[in-house]
Amino acid sequence: MEHSNVSLYDAKILQAAANCKRNEAIVVVGQPLTVKMSTGDLVWLEAPKLTPEDTIRLMTSITPNPNLEEFDSDGSTEFEASIHDDHRFRISIVTEGDGVRIHAFRIQEAR
């Protein structure tokens, strides 16, 4: 599985989930960033609704090249990403409409 270091700009989305102490961030066209609560409830953060271009830009900025190639051929990919070496996420990306759906599952925090 590939591993990526997330750019500072796009780390904001994953950092928001980490700061909220949530295990999952969800990026979907037409909704603001969504985090999943420990109860299973979804909470939309105070942010603009994401456009197809927003989701594709985020995908291309956090996804390693081999995974971008896999996405282009298969319409989906998975990999791990880190934010400032503090948090690790398993990222799952699938094609959805004109954009992409991104699920980022937190798998580890720095000790």
Side-chain angles (χ1 to χ4, degrees):
M1 182 177 293
E2 285 290 322
H3 184 270
S4 172
N5 285 313
V6 178
S7 70
L8 291 177
Y9 178 79
D10 291 313
K12 291 178 185 178
I13 289 177
L14 299 179
Q15 190 68 52
N19 289 345
C20 292
K21 302 294 185 204
R22 303 299 169 242
N23 291 330
E24 184 176 351
I26 304 167
V27 175
V28 180
V29 172
Q31 298 178 2
L33 172 65
T34 305
V35 293
K36 191 171 189 177
M37 305 291 283
S38 59
T39 60
D41 294 329
L42 298 178
V43 175
W44 291 268
L45 300 184
E46 294 291 327
K49 292 181 179 180
L50 297 165
T51 66
E53 295 79 16
D54 292 333
T55 63
I56 292 169
R57 181 189 49 74
L58 175 61
M59 176 194 68
T60 57
S61 73
I62 67 171
T63 306
N65 286 334
N67 293 87
L68 285 174
E69 292 170 10
E70 178 183 40
F71 180 83
D72 287 342
S73 68
D74 299 344
S76 66
T77 190
E78 290 187 359
F79 59 95
E80 291 182 9
S82 297
I83 305 172
H84 313 298
D85 296 325
D86 292 335
H87 304 280
R88 286 183 50 215
F89 288 85
R90 181 171 181 176
I91 311 290
S92 173
I93 303 173
V94 297
T95 302
E96 183 170 275
D98 293 336
V100 296
R101 174 183 288 262
I102 303 170
H103 281 235
F105 302 92
R106 189 168 52 168
I107 57 175
Q108 178 182 342
E109 290 185 43
R111 292 181 171 77

